[in-house]
Amino acid sequence: MDMLKHPVVLLWLTITVYWAANLLRVRTGSVLFNPVVVSTIAVISYLKACGIDYPVYHETAELIDFWLKPAVVGLAVPLYLNWEKIRKQWLPIVLSQGAGSITGIVTAVWIAKLMGAEREVVLSLAAKSVTNPIAIEITKSIGGIPAITAATVIAAGMVGQMVGYRMMTMSTVRKPMSQGMSMGSASHAMGIAASLEKSKKFAAYASLGLIFNGVLTAMLVPVLLPLMGI
């Protein structure tokens, strides 16, 4: 049993399960086989079957979590590669990203508040549309609960990855820049993954959406929460 909870085994399991889940998603083409959902269920089932406590697994997961922050910094590459397009359209980009960031913050906070959630929970939802490394740091700075933030970020990403592009095809939103940046803003890294299935062009714009939304949300959350009486 000790071998089953060895860090190398758990690390290999995590990577392999996600790879297999992603392959299943590509082969079936079904939104129901979301790689994050499938791999999460598989890993939880393994931990339960082997009697492995979460803190033991978490120590291994930190080896992967360590690379999340450098990965976010690496997203500056598509920002640089598309700088000319961004510079020419800076006003609509900034305005749309500002509107998306404010909408993401305000709707999550107000709905939670109206439903009677405790203040710490409300604070934890403010950054739910931002990629996890940034969202967790925002939550820590305002006194929220990082675990709740992480869960809601994943939930927002999964919903966007599964239905984002389908919803936009039923609307008047057609341009790759508009669709890609919308996915990156609302569903962060999972939005980028969904965009990659369409093309690298969509993924580049989704990366821009993720970056802009992360920066703007970090700036706007401390300003908006007091104005909303939180």
Side-chain angles (χ1 to χ4, degrees):
M1 288 296 291
D2 288 341
M3 184 65 181
L4 296 177
K5 60 182 180 181
H6 192 278
V8 174
V9 174
L10 294 176
L11 182 62
W12 176 86
L13 172 74
T14 303
I15 295 172
T16 303
V17 165
Y18 184 80
W19 172 82
N22 196 50
L23 182 62
L24 178 65
R25 166 74 180 84
V26 173
R27 292 284 178 85
T28 61
S30 173
V31 296
L32 297 177
F33 291 106
N34 184 285
V36 176
V37 175
V38 173
S39 54
T40 298
I41 292 173
V43 170
I44 290 175
S45 299
Y46 177 87
L47 297 180
K48 286 290 186 181
C50 298
I52 301 172
D53 294 331
Y54 176 72
V56 175
Y57 175 75
H58 181 67
E59 290 180 8
T60 300
E62 285 184 333
L63 297 173
I64 298 174
D65 184 64
F66 171 80
W67 294 104
L68 285 176
K69 293 176 183 178
V72 172
V73 176
L75 291 172
V77 174
L79 188 66
Y80 172 77
L81 294 176
N82 291 275
W83 180 247
E84 283 303 312
K85 293 180 180 179
I86 296 170
R87 187 174 61 81
K88 292 176 181 177
Q89 303 183 68
W90 68 271
L91 184 57
I93 289 174
V94 171
L95 290 177
S96 63
Q97 291 303 293
S101 178
I102 292 171
T103 300
I105 297 167
V106 172
T107 53
V109 169
W110 267 350
I111 291 172
K113 189 176 179 180
L114 287 172
M115 295 184 69
E118 294 182 4
R119 185 174 184 275
E120 280 189 325
V121 175
V122 173
L123 293 173
S124 304
L125 299 176
K128 57 88 181 168
S129 292
V130 184
T131 189
N132 246 329
I134 300 175
I136 289 173
E137 292 303 318
I138 293 173
T139 298
K140 287 179 180 178
S141 70
I142 60 177
I145 304 171
I148 294 177
T149 301
T152 54
V153 166
I154 293 172
M158 288 191 300
V159 172
Q161 184 180 23
M162 293 170 70
V163 303
Y165 277 113
R166 291 175 182 270
M167 290 180 66
M168 283 187 282
T169 56
M170 296 185 290
S171 70
T172 58
V173 180
R174 292 288 184 269
K175 293 183 178 180
M177 174 179 278
S178 301
Q179 290 191 349
M181 293 192 74
S182 297
M183 288 294 289
S185 298
S187 304
H188 33 83
M190 294 187 200
I192 296 175
S195 299
L196 275 171
E197 294 182 10
K198 294 182 73 68
S199 73
K200 290 182 179 179
K201 186 176 184 179
F202 279 88
Y205 288 131
S207 298
L208 297 182
L210 181 151
I211 294 167
F212 275 108
N213 191 45
V215 172
L216 288 171
T217 300
M219 295 169 61
L220 291 171
V221 164
V223 176
L224 290 176
L225 291 181
L227 294 176
M228 297 169 65
I230 307 299

